[in-house]
Amino acid sequence: MNVIDSRTDRTSQVIRSAVFEPLAKASPVLEAHQTQLGNGEYKIDAVVGRAQETWLIRNRVDPLSVGHIVPDPSLIAFVVPVHWRGEYFFNGVSASASTLYISSGPDGYSTRGAGRDYFTIGLNRDSFVRSLAALEGVEPDEIHLHDGALYLPPLSAIRLRRSLSACLAELSAGSGCHHTRQAVIAECLYDVMLEAYMAGTPVTGMRMPLAKSYQRIVRGAEEHFMAAEGAPVSLADLCRATGVGRTVFYDAFNSVYGTSPLNYFKKRRLMQARTALAMSRPDETKVKEVALSLGLTHLGRFSTEYRNLFGETPSVTLSSPD
């Protein structure tokens, strides 16, 4: 149940998986995770393309989910939503058909939405800055990259998506691109993202210092949760770890992830269990062992909550074929 169908060549990889980890491993990230919040079958359907120092990924995932991505620090990351249901958020800022997102800071970015179909583009930071400086007629050290959402003119947004689709189609065709053609595609990606960056207008969904503070609170809570390695984590523990009171802590999670912290971490545990079960062999692993290793000690409740969220029992996940 891990990777259902994959094809790897020099320039692209197709990933269809019941869990997020194969896509994270194939992407240029330091850290990446997704947590399903809405009921339904979780599946990743992605194409990862690479042309020299550039990355172009298109991913589709259906149920309402939230995620946090920390890109490789040598890269600047762009997220271009294509389709989605309801609202789509990036660091708490709602998307429109003309929204482009940029992550240029060390903390990475958070996303939330359902029925998501989106591009992620990774470009070498130094190369992008040098090109941007040349276009603006300044020195590279005078460039301060935007970190957040940009609004594009509608026609610019349409052209951007078409260009990204064409680049990914070429990277995915046949047995891969010749080195010379990869250089052309990489140059095209720099050109279209530089054009989009320069045409965009910053979007703010809330006061920037407050948005950044909320991101850091959520990030600190995530780090404390991961360090617990399955041990129980209380709301009081999380508030102490992040240095804020309960009200601010709740506000941060509602802004970034659209749910309460306890509901989020409960779903995060269930997602961890699904990942462990999907990537294990039924003759080597038992559902009970996985649940207990994650602090899910009430096995009947665990099975019910798991089935309600993912639409199948833990044992079905474990026994599903690769």
Side-chain angles (χ1 to χ4, degrees), residues 100-118:
L100 162 69
Y101 297 119
I102 302 168
S103 176
S104 62
D107 295 328
Y109 60 91
S110 298
T111 57
R112 168 169 41 110
R116 289 185 286 166
D117 177 0
Y118 59 95

Side-chain angles (χ1 to χ4, degrees), residues 75-88:
L75 302 178
I76 177 172
F78 300 85
V79 177
V80 180
V82 179
H83 301 292
W84 61 93
R85 294 196 310 272
E87 287 192 283
Y88 185 115

Side-chain angles (χ1 to χ4, degrees), residues 298-320:
H298 300 282
L299 298 182
R301 183 190 308 166
F302 161 66
S303 183
T304 299
E305 292 177 343
Y306 188 101
R307 184 176 65 250
N308 290 340
L309 184 61
F310 301 118
E312 64 183 25
T313 63
S315 59
V316 168
T317 302
L318 177 61
S319 61
S320 294

Side-chain angles (χ1 to χ4, degrees), residues 26 42 64 121 171 240 259:
Y42 184 90
L64 174 64
I121 305 95
L171 288 171
R240 280 194 296 270
T259 189

Side-chain angles (χ1 to χ4, degrees), residues 1-6 13-29 32 42-46 48 55 57 59 275 278-279:
M1 197 170 177
N2 180 6
V3 178
I4 299 173
D5 177 31
S6 66
Q13 181 179 3
V14 176
I15 297 174
R16 296 189 177 97
S17 173
V19 293
F20 184 67
E21 275 62 24
L23 177 57
K25 290 180 179 179
S27 304
V29 297
Y42 184 90
K43 291 191 302 183
I44 289 293
D45 185 359
V48 180
W55 295 78
I57 301 168
N59 183 33
T275 299
M279 302 183 75

